[in-house]
Amino acid sequence: MAEFDEVVEGSQGLTRTLKDLFAGAAGGVAQVLLGQPFDIVKVRLQTTTQYTNALDAATQIYKNEGASAFYKGTLTPLIGIGACVSIQFGAFHWARRAFETRNSAASPLSAPTLSYTQYYLSGAFAGLANSVISGPIEHVRIRLQTQPHGAARLYSGPLDCIRKLSAHNGVAGLYRGEAVTILREAQAYGVWFLTFEYLMNADAARNDVARKDISTAKVALYGGLAGEALWLASYPFDVVKSKMQSDGFGAAQRYGGMRDCFAQTWRAEGFRGFWKGLAPTLLRAMPVSAGTFAV
């Protein structure tokens, strides 16, 4: 009988994990389709000085490259984001359940709830797990978003971009900027999940309702606010990542590594240099993150 219970419990755990992965994939597709036009404006502002602000960047992109330019590089994240967000949610809930089991063993008479430090660590673990595939996916996307327009373009599409990036130092060429990607992902998703869980728990306690009874509109609102917190907490890492992943190779390479990129950005642009492109990012974050949690 005990063996049967263990099998049932294991099956339920697998079902929960699969549901987490599916929810993450659906949320990821919504995230890309809603956010891609904002993202290209952000990346252009982070990696070049030719635009005065977000509106100027959007206007020039539309004027010089057409409306389709706002979806440059979409195919790679559209294919990969489902896996990315599935990993984020799957890893977060795996870590959360591991903490619940640990807390329950330490205090058998108490409800197996998490501290907010544990929520942050669960989110950071999700970010670390996600960085393995988000690093190269975002590298390819950024290359496609920042390449010259028309006949001067460097890559014909995602596969051509992957092939050419891999020609520079093999897999390491594809994983350029991975160290700062790991730092960004851990901080970003630690804060993301922490903020969402705090807002959900606070609402449930304030209104004396179960979390499952919180309305979808509120879930979306709290997800959107968590998205704002995510970017405010991690944006300087993202700026450095974009600069490194749009940098040249060989003699054309400007940055010797993550620390050098931080140092050069500080010397050339000061504190404001680490926040370029923040406005469109925050505009993007609310609907994208709301959609991710509400799906």
Side-chain angles (χ1 to χ4, degrees), residues 71-249:
Y71 281 90
K72 276 186 175 181
T74 299
L75 182 60
T76 306
L78 192 60
I79 293 171
I81 197 67
C84 284
V85 182
S86 294
I87 289 172
Q88 292 162 17
F89 278 84
F92 171 77
H93 288 297
W94 182 89
R96 178 182 60 79
R97 286 190 285 268
F99 276 124
E100 286 176 349
T101 300
R102 179 174 177 272
N103 294 347
S104 183
S107 303
L109 300 180
S110 302
T113 56
L114 271 65
S115 68
Y116 286 110
T117 297
Q118 290 173 330
Y119 277 126
Y120 175 84
L121 291 174
S122 296
F125 173 74
L128 288 172
N130 182 58
S131 66
V132 176
I133 62 171
S134 68
I137 286 173
E138 293 197 14
H139 189 186
V140 171
R141 174 179 57 78
I142 286 171
R143 293 287 176 182
L144 294 173
Q145 288 177 327
T146 57
Q147 70 172 333
H149 182 61
R153 68 179 184 171
L154 303 174
Y155 314 106
S156 60
L159 292 179
D160 183 50
C161 185
I162 291 170
R163 180 178 62 81
K164 289 178 178 176
L165 290 177
S166 299
H168 299 279
N169 300 324
V171 175
L174 197 57
Y175 272 87
R176 173 182 281 188
E178 185 64 13
V180 73
T181 299
I182 289 171
L183 291 175
R184 187 202 68 170
E185 297 285 83
Q187 170 69 352
Y189 291 107
V191 171
W192 194 45
F193 283 110
L194 166 63
T195 303
F196 180 74
E197 294 295 330
Y198 171 80
L199 292 171
M200 289 288 288
N201 289 343
D203 187 289
R206 184 171 59 251
N207 296 303
D208 193 25
V209 296
R211 280 177 50 127
K212 64 182 178 63
D213 295 325
I214 296 174
S215 69
T216 302
K218 284 186 174 182
V219 172
L221 173 62
Y222 299 151
L225 292 173
E228 302 291 299
L230 178 157
W231 284 109
L232 289 171
S234 64
Y235 198 76
F237 293 120
D238 189 70
V239 170
V240 170
K241 184 185 78 69
S242 292
K243 286 177 179 290
M244 292 183 67
Q245 292 183 335
S246 60
D247 195 13
F249 289 93

Side-chain angles (χ1 to χ4, degrees), residues 44-57:
R44 293 286 182 92
L45 288 169
Q46 288 177 332
T47 59
T48 182
T49 58
Q50 72 181 89
Y51 310 112
T52 56
N53 53 46
L55 181 60
D56 180 48

